[in-house]
Amino acid sequence: MSKTVAINVKGLSVGYGDYVLLHDADYQVNKGDIFIIMGGSGCGKSSMLRVLTGLLPPLKGEVVINDVDMINGKPRDVQKIREKSGILYQSGALFSSMTLAENIMLPMQQYSDYSPATMRELAGLKLALVGLKGFDDFYPSEISGGMKKRAGLARALALDPDIVYFDEPSAGLDPISSHNLDELIIELNRSLGTTIVVVTHELASIFAIGNNSIFLDAASKTILARGDPKELLKNPPNKTVYEFLTRGEKK
């Protein structure tokens, strides 16, 4: 059975001015994927994510999300796609002067017509969804790093997005918190059917959650591999990908 394409990238070049990080990239993210963007430092992983989320214009190429041209499409159509997307930044990016509930209500205040009471109720439900039931009135300074990531995820889920983007979700977390976040990502994907795009270089997370991926290479400025990370490990297409996926193993 053919899969529905959620994100279709064609001929994409990513960079800043005359500096090119990646050129002529082609790949697809299927609906319901947990899609990994991986590679070593300086390969353009986070920049690729910035292009997908509209924070960085590409040097050239196409990004089509749910059949909408995100580069040259009608502004109204593009905005609708943005509203159905969520982003979890590395730090969680919570506003320190607001409670967790207030942070989560921000997207609702901007993009919905919900009453204050309904927004408050939904914020509590989103916190419960990520394991933070009862923490509505806590401030970011009063919770741990792992809890901040979960609260950031609750905000990313505020508007029931079709796609959620994660930028290095394990950054700054201890191994247990990182594992717990991986489990939460898997559960959200299974229970809600959310398409998830994750930028990471953490092997444990890559193999634990990913079912599709691209490998970006800084030297050639191209995509060196595509597919399920576990399959790429079994049948590595080249030495660079093999060394990345087996780093840390004893020879």
Side-chain angles (χ1 to χ4, degrees):
M1 185 173 63
S2 61
K3 296 182 178 180
T4 301
V5 175
I7 302 173
N8 194 9
V9 172
K10 295 181 180 179
L12 193 71
S13 292
V14 178
Y16 301 86
D18 294 329
Y19 182 70
V20 178
L21 284 164
L22 187 73
H23 62 81
D24 296 321
D26 296 285
Y27 64 92
Q28 294 181 335
V29 180
N30 296 316
K31 185 176 181 179
D33 273 353
I34 300 182
F35 188 90
I36 308 295
I37 300 175
M38 59 182 175
S41 297
C43 67
K45 299 187 299 295
S46 290
S47 295
M48 173 65 76
L49 194 71
R50 286 169 60 83
V51 171
L52 294 180
T53 57
L55 297 175
L56 175 69
L59 300 180
K60 70 172 186 176
E62 297 180 17
V63 176
V64 177
I65 300 179
N66 291 334
D67 298 322
V68 174
D69 184 339
M70 301 302 289
I71 310 302
N72 299 306
K74 295 179 180 179
R76 179 183 297 178
D77 294 337
V78 171
Q79 182 58 35
K80 286 182 179 179
I81 295 295
R82 298 285 181 231
E83 290 175 16
K84 295 298 289 182
S85 303
I87 307 173
L88 176 61
Y89 299 98
Q90 282 191 34
S91 63
L94 298 171
F95 290 95
S96 60
S97 62
M98 296 181 175
T99 65
L100 301 190
E102 288 169 343
N103 268 279
I104 294 163
M105 289 164 61
L106 276 176
M108 302 180 201
Q109 291 168 348
Q110 187 169 3
Y111 297 115
S112 80
D113 297 323
Y114 298 139
S115 68
T118 298
M119 286 190 284
R120 176 78 185 190
E121 181 180 0
L122 288 173
L125 290 173
K126 300 303 180 185
L127 284 168
L129 185 64
V130 300
L132 291 176
K133 183 178 181 179
F135 284 85
D136 306 44
D137 296 322
F138 280 63
Y139 286 88
S141 61
E142 298 174 320
I143 60 177
S144 69
M147 293 169 76
K148 288 177 184 177
K149 288 288 181 82
R150 286 173 173 262
L153 178 54
R155 186 177 61 189
L157 296 171
L159 296 173
D160 299 319
D162 296 323
I163 303 171
V164 178
Y165 302 93
F166 292 77
D167 187 11
E168 298 283 3
S170 299
L173 298 183
D174 61 85
I176 294 176
S177 296
S178 178
H179 172 76
N180 290 340
L181 185 58
D182 285 344
E183 290 295 311
L184 179 58
I185 290 171
I186 292 170
E187 181 57 32
L188 290 171
N189 173 257
R190 287 175 178 170
S191 61
L192 302 178
T194 309
T195 302
I196 293 172
V197 178
V198 183
V199 165
T200 185
H201 64 274
E202 297 288 343
L203 287 182
S205 292
I206 288 170
F207 293 127
I209 68 176
N211 68 344
N212 198 359
S213 71
I214 53 173
F215 181 91
L216 308 186
D217 178 54
S220 63
K221 300 183 179 181
T222 61
I223 296 175
L224 284 189
R226 299 170 178 81
D228 187 320
K230 293 177 282 295
E231 292 301 319
L232 294 177
L233 178 61
K234 291 179 183 177
N235 300 290
N238 52 64
K239 182 179 179 181
T240 301
V241 173
Y242 173 77
E243 290 181 345
F244 178 88
L245 294 176
T246 59
R247 68 190 193 277
E249 292 187 359
K250 293 183 178 180
K251 299 292 189 288

